[in-house]
Amino acid sequence: MNGLPADNPRPPAPRRWRWMGPGLALVVLGGTGLYALVHPRSPSAQEPAPAEPLAPLSPTARPSTPAPRPATPMAQAPSPVAAPPPSDVDAEQKTRREAARQSARQYRAGRFNAFFRKEVFVEELARDGASRIDGLRGELADPTALQQLPADARFMENKPEPVLERMAMIDLLFELAPNEPAARDAMTSLALSPIDSGLSDSVKKGLVGEKYDLLFRLAQVDRQLAVDTYTRLDNPRLKSLLREALMAGLAESGASPAEVQRMTAHL
């Protein structure tokens, strides 16, 4: 992961539990080397052994009729191999991700509805258990929606629809996390997942902002897990950007300043 430009400011501390979106410094990951496999060449054919001299024919011997050689079958062109049909696992994952997108849209729309009962919605969502959480994790792990945004897209103001939808997915993981260990595991894995160095700057910023939000929310649900997750970050620049998210999340969880200091003294 390459360094970030010096003029990128550290993200502002979040207000209460609703973080206002990415807009953080750029993280550029180091690329990995590419190695080619070299297959050894086949050994050259050996020289044929010299043929033994033929014995002279007896005056009475009749030459034997040589046996007919079997006809060599003609080589057939390989028939085109049809692409394998999508596996049941791929189809199931696609269904789960589509259900996750639908849930995020319903959650976003419901928050502006006076008759929307968030507790009932989350309870119904939890009935799907690991299936719905796996769909949320799969959607957030795939940056395709962010890659389709214009290069000059801004995340701090006038957030594009894909950004709002992904923020709602993080909201749903946060709502499920207190009672669902799988949701906490999903938040941890997403916070620790590497960022592809080949992505555009705007996509990288969006992904860093999502990690900020995930760590901030995780600290409110499980303080020690959030500290352990932060410790496992292997990029110094990313840790510098996300330290404030950890501190703010711990404070938002109700931890006293002394307790926050005790939990983060080794960082």
Side-chain angles (χ1 to χ4, degrees), residues 1-6 8 25-30 235 237:
M1 192 176 299
N2 297 332
L4 305 180
N8 269 348
L26 166 66
V27 173
V28 180
L29 297 183
N235 182 271
R237 287 293 293 157

Side-chain angles (χ1 to χ4, degrees), residues 33 48 108 120 136 149 156 185 193 230 235 247 256:
R108 281 186 55 216
V120 175
L136 292 168
L149 296 175
M156 287 298 295
D185 292 343
S193 62
Y230 177 83
N235 182 271
M247 297 297 187
S256 65

Side-chain angles (χ1 to χ4, degrees), residues 99-213:
R101 288 192 293 268
Q102 292 292 341
S103 297
R105 295 178 189 129
Q106 294 171 8
Y107 181 76
R108 281 186 55 216
R111 287 184 296 180
F112 299 99
N113 188 336
F115 300 98
F116 177 71
R117 298 180 60 188
K118 183 179 70 174
E119 295 78 8
V120 175
F121 181 85
V122 174
E123 182 180 351
E124 293 178 351
L125 191 68
R127 292 174 186 170
D128 293 334
S131 173
R132 191 57 52 90
I133 293 172
D134 183 66
L136 292 168
R137 184 209 300 255
E139 273 298 295
L140 289 170
D142 184 359
T144 301
L146 298 179
Q147 289 178 283
Q148 295 174 350
L149 296 175
D152 58 349
R154 297 180 178 273
F155 298 150
M156 287 298 295
E157 52 191 25
N158 299 325
K159 297 180 181 64
E161 183 68 20
V163 175
L164 294 173
E165 188 172 287
R166 290 171 69 90
M167 291 174 65
M169 293 179 192
I170 296 177
D171 288 346
L172 291 178
L173 287 176
F174 172 71
E175 297 291 349
L176 293 168
N179 300 315
E180 295 288 344
R184 298 195 292 273
D185 292 343
M187 296 173 76
T188 298
S189 65
L190 290 168
L192 293 173
S193 62
I195 300 176
D196 185 359
S197 62
L199 297 173
S200 66
D201 291 355
S202 61
V203 174
K204 293 173 187 171
K205 290 178 181 179
L207 293 175
V208 172
E210 290 177 0
K211 293 180 186 298
Y212 188 102
D213 203 4

Side-chain angles (χ1 to χ4, degrees), residues 32-100:
T32 58
L34 188 62
Y35 298 92
L37 297 177
V38 180
H39 298 280
R41 298 180 58 185
S42 301
S44 58
Q46 298 180 355
E47 293 292 335
E52 297 182 357
L54 298 177
L57 292 176
S58 155
T60 60
R62 298 178 60 185
S64 59
T65 303
R69 299 179 60 184
T72 303
M74 297 182 61
Q76 298 181 356
S79 58
V81 179
S87 65
D88 294 340
V89 176
D90 294 339
E92 183 178 0
Q93 179 65 13
K94 183 178 180 180
T95 301
R96 291 180 178 183
R97 289 177 57 172
E98 178 58 32

